Amino acid sequence: MKKQIGGLFIVLVLLLTACAGKGDISVDEVSKALQKQGLDVEEMTLDAAKKLSTSPAIAINGKDPVPFELSLPAADMAYREFLLLYVFASEEERIRIEKEDGTPAPIKIGELHANVIKKKNLIAVYWSHNKDNPLLMKQVEKAMDKL
């Protein structure tokens, strides 16, 4: 009987451990979701993203983003479009940091305009040249909705 209870306890612990991270979104999942919406997604280096910014820092409360350049396949886009993806350990951490830090931090990237999307454990900031009608906003929103 003790062995059965011990075995049941181990199974319960394994199930709880497996469910602990469920629901969090990874960078890879976002990239794939964007590609499914017909976008070309190219991950950039953090240094390249920092060079684009006219702000002293692009981190949120010490958390650096994973930067992407977005484009339409076979389209000659007049301006570059970017996505800065801030991935936190959990949705609770994201919410806590937002309250503490007032995120997303007011950074500036040249003449681009920020469009912020928050979902679960991440903050996605889509930077578009067009303030009133961001070129790739529909695809970015659909991708985030599917996660």
Side-chain angles (χ1 to χ4, degrees):
M1 182 69 173
K2 286 184 181 181
K3 287 182 181 181
Q4 289 175 337
I5 292 174
L8 183 59
F9 179 73
I10 290 171
V11 169
L12 182 61
V13 169
L14 289 173
L15 284 173
L16 289 174
T17 303
C19 293
K22 195 168 186 156
D24 290 341
I25 303 170
S26 71
V27 170
D28 190 45
E29 289 172 313
V30 173
S31 178
K32 287 178 182 176
L34 291 166
Q35 290 171 7
K36 284 183 181 178
Q37 293 305 312
L39 298 176
D40 281 341
V41 181
E42 183 179 331
E43 189 170 342
M44 302 169 53
T45 66
L46 187 56
D47 286 338
K50 286 179 180 179
K51 288 178 184 174
L52 294 171
S53 176
T54 54
S55 299
I58 61 174
I60 294 177
N61 200 10
K63 173 77 72 182
D64 284 322
V66 177
F68 293 99
E69 184 169 351
L70 304 177
S71 63
L72 292 167
D76 186 19
M77 293 178 53
Y79 302 100
R80 297 169 73 192
E81 309 261 317
F82 304 95
L83 181 75
L84 298 182
L85 191 61
Y86 298 87
V87 181
F88 299 92
S90 66
E91 184 174 11
E92 292 78 19
E93 180 189 23
R94 176 188 59 84
I95 292 168
R96 180 184 55 78
I97 287 174
E98 285 179 298
K99 287 178 182 175
E100 290 174 5
D101 206 14
T103 57
I107 66 172
K108 190 88 173 117
I109 296 183
E111 297 295 318
L112 300 178
H113 304 279
N115 300 277
V116 179
I117 301 170
K118 301 172 188 178
K119 180 129 184 190
K120 297 182 182 180
N121 63 310
L122 61 86
I123 298 173
V125 185
Y126 164 53
W127 292 91
S128 177
H129 184 75
N130 191 323
K131 180 179 182 179
D132 299 321
N133 189 19
L135 180 64
L136 307 175
M137 192 66 193
K138 288 180 183 174
Q139 291 95 328
V140 172
E141 285 178 334
K142 282 183 182 179
M144 298 302 286
D145 286 344
K146 298 213 182 252
L147 295 172

